[in-house]
Amino acid sequence: SELHCQLEELRSQLNLTLKSQSQLTMEIQSLQSSRASLEQQIRVSSSELTASQQKAAMLEVELQESRSEVLVVESRMHAYKMELGAESEEMKRNLVSLQDEGQTLASELELSRSEVELCRSKFGRQVDDLQEQVLELERSRQKLAEEHRSSQTLSEACQAEKEAQLEELAR
């Protein structure tokens, strides 16, 4: 009977051990499944990391190219600024020169205006004198024309009188 009790106890322990072993097997399978899932996630993450590293490398190259382009643009801008500065100085000199020429032309114009006014007053008097002479000549012409008409009338009258006398003499 003691042996029987021991056997029952061993059977009970064996059942517990089998249950524990079954549970451990399930846990091991669950852990293996988890491990497989984690390994898959690691592979995916590794691929993503590689892709990200490649993209980062490409972006680094693009960044270097952009920096080079920026340096080129900055260099060009500096050259343009220098050119603009030189052109600006030349434009200022040209502006001063044009202002000087403008002042010279303004002085010459004022001098020309003075000369024109002087000529206008001088020739104006001459024109007035010439107009007066023309009027006087016109009056003289009219007077001569009247004298000529009078003389012609007188000549015609004398001719008529001579003809009348000749007719009288002829009778």
Side-chain angles (χ1 to χ4, degrees):
S1 116
E2 191 178 322
L3 189 61
H4 185 69
C5 281
Q6 285 179 351
L7 187 60
E8 283 298 321
E9 193 177 321
L10 283 173
R11 219 181 255 161
S12 174
Q13 286 178 356
L14 181 61
N15 281 336
L16 283 173
T17 303
L18 286 174
K19 280 184 186 178
S20 294
Q21 190 178 8
S22 175
Q23 284 178 346
L24 283 174
T25 302
M26 286 174 54
E27 286 180 19
I28 288 170
Q29 287 174 348
S30 175
L31 287 172
Q32 285 174 342
S33 177
S34 295
R35 178 180 175 184
S37 176
L38 285 172
E39 285 174 350
Q40 178 63 27
Q41 287 178 1
I42 287 168
R43 280 192 295 273
V44 169
S45 296
S46 178
S47 296
E48 289 175 354
L49 179 62
T50 303
S52 295
Q53 287 172 338
Q54 289 173 346
K55 189 171 183 179
M58 288 171 52
L59 288 172
E60 183 65 29
V61 169
E62 289 178 10
L63 180 62
Q64 290 299 328
E65 289 174 357
S66 296
R67 284 182 183 153
S68 298
E69 289 174 7
V70 166
L71 289 174
V72 168
V73 169
E74 284 177 350
S75 174
R76 284 183 185 163
M77 282 177 62
H78 181 68
Y80 289 145
K81 282 181 184 175
M82 297 296 286
E83 281 181 36
L84 285 174
E87 288 177 7
S88 176
E89 288 300 317
E90 187 176 347
M91 287 171 73
K92 284 179 186 173
R93 286 193 296 274
N94 289 343
L95 182 61
V96 169
S97 174
L98 286 171
Q99 286 173 338
D100 291 344
E101 286 179 26
Q103 288 175 348
T104 302
L105 287 172
S107 300
E108 289 175 4
L109 179 63
E110 193 56 42
L111 184 63
S112 296
R113 280 185 184 150
S114 300
E115 289 175 0
V116 165
E117 287 300 320
L118 184 64
C119 289
R120 200 177 274 159
S121 66
K122 180 180 175 185
F123 290 118
R125 284 193 300 274
Q126 289 181 356
V127 166
D128 289 345
D129 291 346
L130 286 172
Q131 284 177 340
E132 186 60 39
Q133 288 175 9
V134 166
L135 287 173
E136 199 169 312
L137 284 171
E138 182 60 27
R139 285 192 292 267
S140 297
R141 187 192 66 75
Q142 287 175 356
K143 189 176 179 183
L144 283 173
E146 277 181 34
E147 287 177 2
H148 177 69
R149 277 194 300 272
S150 296
S151 163
Q152 195 170 1
T153 304
L154 187 59
S155 173
E156 287 173 0
C158 287
Q159 184 69 28
E161 193 175 317
K162 281 182 186 177
E163 285 177 7
Q165 287 176 355
L166 282 175
E167 281 180 19
E168 245 178 70
L169 286 174
R171 284 188 213 154

